[in-house]
Amino acid sequence: MRILLHRADGKTEPWIKDFAKYLPEAEVEIWHAGEKNKACDYAVVWSPPEAMLPELAQVKAIFVTGAGVDSLLKFSDALPSHIPIIRLEDAGMALQMAEYVTHSVLRYFRRLDEYEAQARAGQWLPLPQHPKEDFAVGVLGMGVLGTRVLEALAPFGFPLRGWSRTEKTMAGVQCFHGADGLDTFLRGSRVLVCMLPLTPDTNNLVNRTNMSKLPQGSYLINVARGAHVAEPDLLALIKSGHIAAATLDVFRNEPLPAQHPFWQEPRITITPHISALTLRRESVQQIAEKIRKTAQGETVAGVVDRNRGY
């Protein structure tokens, strides 16, 4: 068994060592641009270059070292439809995402962002606390990661809302679905948390029209993909005060360019795509198990529906 590995950061040695430990029967082949690589049975990639497509079109399955697969699906037409694309289901990312979002929600609820600004200005000014019943948290996307975030928020007593493409139910969460449910979901969410997969239908979904449906003085937290948010619209709504503040971990262009206006807006908190980092050991263990099952003809979870985009 041979695995074709590509890492955009070039740090392949630790992955090779982990595959040797958790899938010792496999030989790992590192993909190098412009070189003839040995024929491989499986590929393990994240955001592969277009030059890699000929080799990817020859494998039995492609494993993506992340929960999102938009960076690969943009090449979907070049990949034979019989080759399954398999994403990570969690591998330690759900807990990290829950930590990040919970911190961000509590920071806004306790007005710590405002106290931080006051401290920088040398001000001592206690502020009235937000009524919890008026601080509903709405999670866009109720997959594995979105569900884990809702579970983490539950003990704090916020009204919780969730939206998904198809109908779902979750104890303690007011659930909405489909295009018809989106409007009502938005109008009742004081904090909007975007956790959607990026598809043609969700691209630019968080735009002026939809953000304007949020209550006055709402908050946005985006930990999904930068392309979900219409950046000029968000900036305008923050300047108008309709959106009180935003925490953004993902952007259309990464790293965020130095001249981008978000850097100059104090009500936007920026982090460098760190809300949920891929944990290598957990990822390799999950991929190794799925490769073994795939090789034996068994069904595995996480197979991407190319039509849906996730």
Side-chain angles (χ1 to χ4, degrees):
M1 180 191 303
R2 187 175 290 120
I3 297 172
L4 182 62
L5 174 67
H6 174 264
R7 296 291 305 168
D9 59 10
K11 298 177 181 178
T12 55
E13 192 60 33
W15 288 79
I16 294 172
K17 290 181 179 179
D18 281 345
F19 272 113
K21 180 177 181 180
Y22 297 109
L23 195 66
E25 64 268 34
E27 175 187 344
V28 178
E29 174 86 0
I30 306 302
W31 185 85
H32 295 289
E35 296 183 12
K36 185 174 178 58
N37 297 281
K38 297 179 182 177
C40 292
D41 301 288
Y42 304 99
V44 175
V45 301
W46 170 254
S47 192
E50 189 170 0
M52 193 178 181
L53 293 179
E55 283 91 344
L56 293 180
Q58 302 300 317
V59 300
K60 299 174 183 176
I62 302 169
F63 293 85
V64 182
T65 58
V69 293
D70 47 283
S71 63
L72 182 59
L73 287 185
K74 65 184 179 182
F75 301 129
S76 186
D77 291 344
L79 298 172
S81 59
H82 70 273
I83 300 176
I85 299 171
I86 304 171
R87 59 176 172 78
L88 292 179
E89 297 162 86
D90 183 350
M93 289 182 287
L95 177 58
Q96 295 178 73
M97 198 75 80
E99 293 167 346
Y100 184 101
V101 173
T102 300
H103 169 270
S104 300
V105 170
L106 292 175
R107 178 170 174 257
Y108 289 136
F109 175 65
R110 294 301 304 269
R111 307 185 73 164
L112 297 179
D113 60 320
E114 296 173 77
Y115 287 124
E116 290 164 7
Q118 287 184 16
R120 288 192 294 269
Q123 296 178 326
W124 181 284
L125 180 62
L127 301 170
Q129 189 162 307
H130 294 296
K132 187 165 285 187
E133 63 271 18
D134 296 334
F135 214 79
V137 181
V139 175
L140 267 174
M142 295 181 65
V144 172
L145 302 182
T147 299
R148 183 66 182 86
V149 165
L150 287 164
E151 290 173 349
L153 289 168
F156 295 97
F158 297 109
L160 298 178
R161 302 157 69 84
W163 181 90
S164 53
R165 186 181 64 88
T166 57
E167 186 173 5
K168 293 188 177 183
T169 59
M170 183 176 177
V173 179
Q174 189 176 7
C175 297
F176 304 83
H177 70 279
D180 293 340
L182 182 61
D183 185 86
T184 305
F185 165 81
L186 292 169
R187 293 189 187 281
S189 298
R190 182 68 181 277
V191 182
L192 180 64
V193 182
C194 183
M195 304 197 67
L196 292 166
L198 182 60
T199 70
D201 290 335
T202 65
N203 183 51
N204 236 33
L205 184 68
V206 186
N207 55 23
R208 182 186 295 268
T209 298
N210 284 328
M211 283 188 285
S212 295
K213 296 173 184 176
L214 298 170
Q216 178 73 22
S218 292
Y219 301 88
L220 172 66
I221 301 168
N222 187 18
V223 291
R225 288 289 185 268
H228 286 125
V229 176
E231 294 180 347
D233 292 356
L234 172 60
L235 196 61
L237 289 171
I238 283 181
K239 291 187 179 300
S240 75
H242 185 79
I243 301 295
T247 294
L248 307 177
D249 186 54
V250 288
F251 306 89
R252 288 181 180 270
N253 297 301
E254 297 182 3
L256 188 65
Q259 69 275 17
H260 198 288
F262 280 177
W263 289 114
Q264 307 306 318
E265 175 48 68
R267 288 165 291 187
I268 294 179
T269 298
I270 295 168
T271 55
H273 205 143
I274 49 77
S275 57
L277 302 173
T278 298
L279 301 180
R280 188 188 65 252
R281 183 184 63 185
E282 289 84 348
S283 299
V284 170
Q285 287 177 309
Q286 185 179 135
I287 292 170
E289 180 182 359
K290 290 184 176 183
I291 285 178
R292 288 195 178 104
K293 287 185 176 181
T294 300
Q296 294 169 5
E298 298 180 29
T299 300
V300 299
V303 177
V304 173
D305 183 328
R306 297 196 193 192
N307 293 323
R308 291 190 307 180
Y310 58 93

